[in-house]
Amino acid sequence: MKWKFYVLVMAAVLAGASASAQGSRSIIKQQIGEWGSCRSAALTLTGGDLVLNGFNDYACPDVPENLAVTLSQLRARGDYLDDVQLTEEGRWLILYGDNGVLWNDIPQELEQTLREYNEAQEIITSVAFNDAGDWIVVSKSRYAASSPSLTRWIAEGIDEYGALWTAHMTEDGTVLCFENGYLWRGNVPGIVQQKLRETTLDAYRVKFLSDGTYFIADQEGQCEYYL
């Protein structure tokens, strides 16, 4: 009986998480439709979603409260909101202004790298990380990653496709956006791979999830998505 009760409780929890995610997606899809464009997004399976547009317009249904409060404070100050990363466990990072970065509970080595880049006045264009401790930082002039394997892979991509623009990670998949193409490895769903092969957008940011959800956008905010 205890086992059956546990199964029923877990089924209810998962159903609730799925319903919450669907409600969150409906809100951000409606917002994108009202804007008519969208520059970037932060997507999770169960931890809320977020979309950015214009200078500092955003919608962030069901995201952690400390992230929502920080975004509100930045917008009230008149800061440009460049990009947001959010993980399933509630870790997050905001890129704002020319080289401003705010974060919550990120890997220590990533934090040290960001401080070094910030002190060197590097303009950071992308930060990708996951709950497993993997990360990539990209600036206008250099990049860094959490492992030699990632560093070599990025270097190979630069040799083939030119400058690295941005990166995105899930727990087990990564996509890199270069000046002239894309690379991916790990668990990147086929629907995402196919979209990157077919899209006519010069995608600057790509966000995706293991269930096939994706968002891609160019630097002007033209976007395509499956949410």
Side-chain angles (χ1 to χ4, degrees):
M1 289 295 293
K2 289 183 178 179
W3 181 82
K4 290 182 180 179
F5 176 73
Y6 173 78
V7 171
L8 289 173
V9 169
M10 287 304 298
V13 169
L14 291 173
S18 176
S20 176
Q22 289 303 312
S24 177
R25 298 284 163 73
S26 296
I27 292 171
I28 64 172
K29 283 193 289 186
Q30 179 179 350
Q31 185 62 75
I32 293 172
E34 292 177 3
W35 284 334
S37 62
C38 189
R39 290 192 291 104
S40 189
L43 306 169
T44 72
L45 294 170
T46 61
D49 301 298
L50 179 146
V51 284
L52 297 172
N53 194 51
F55 187 77
N56 60 11
D57 287 332
Y58 67 87
C60 58
D62 300 325
V63 300
E65 183 178 0
N66 56 358
L67 173 57
V69 168
T70 303
L71 287 167
S72 178
Q73 292 172 341
L74 289 171
R75 179 159 66 179
R77 273 180 8 194
D79 287 310
Y80 173 66
L81 299 176
D82 188 15
D83 193 31
V84 175
Q85 298 294 315
L86 176 63
T87 74
E88 299 296 335
E89 294 183 7
R91 296 178 174 88
W92 53 261
L93 181 144
I94 304 169
L95 292 178
Y96 70 96
D98 288 334
N99 67 343
V101 190
L102 292 171
W103 58 73
N104 173 67
D105 193 22
I106 62 175
Q108 184 175 4
E109 288 187 355
L110 172 56
E111 181 176 336
Q112 291 172 347
T113 300
L114 290 171
R115 292 186 187 280
E116 291 171 6
Y117 276 43
N118 193 262
E119 290 172 3
Q121 300 295 307
E122 290 282 345
I123 297 176
I124 300 170
T125 60
S126 177
V127 180
F129 61 95
N130 60 26
D131 292 319
D134 306 309
W135 54 266
I136 297 171
V137 177
V138 185
S139 78
K140 291 284 189 179
S141 60
R142 54 178 169 156
Y143 62 88
S146 57
S147 70
S149 174
L150 276 173
T151 302
R152 287 193 298 270
W153 183 51
I154 292 170
E156 291 168 1
I158 291 173
D159 287 342
E160 184 171 359
Y161 296 114
L164 175 63
W165 283 352
T166 61
H168 179 66
M169 287 179 162
T170 63
E171 293 306 290
D172 53 6
T174 305
V175 168
L176 304 177
C177 290
F178 297 92
E179 183 179 12
N180 299 305
Y182 315 93
L183 281 181
W184 53 79
R185 73 178 192 177
N187 182 21
V188 178
I191 186 174
V192 179
Q193 297 181 29
Q194 190 65 25
K195 172 53 66 174
L196 293 177
R197 292 188 186 101
E198 295 177 349
T199 185
T200 58
L201 287 180
D202 190 10
Y204 185 72
R205 297 204 185 274
V206 175
K207 306 295 181 76
F208 73 96
L209 296 172
S210 59
D211 66 354
T213 298
Y214 67 78
F215 172 92
I216 66 175
D218 65 16
Q219 296 188 65
E220 284 71 47
Q222 297 182 80
C223 61
E224 298 174 342
Y225 52 86
Y226 176 72
L227 303 171

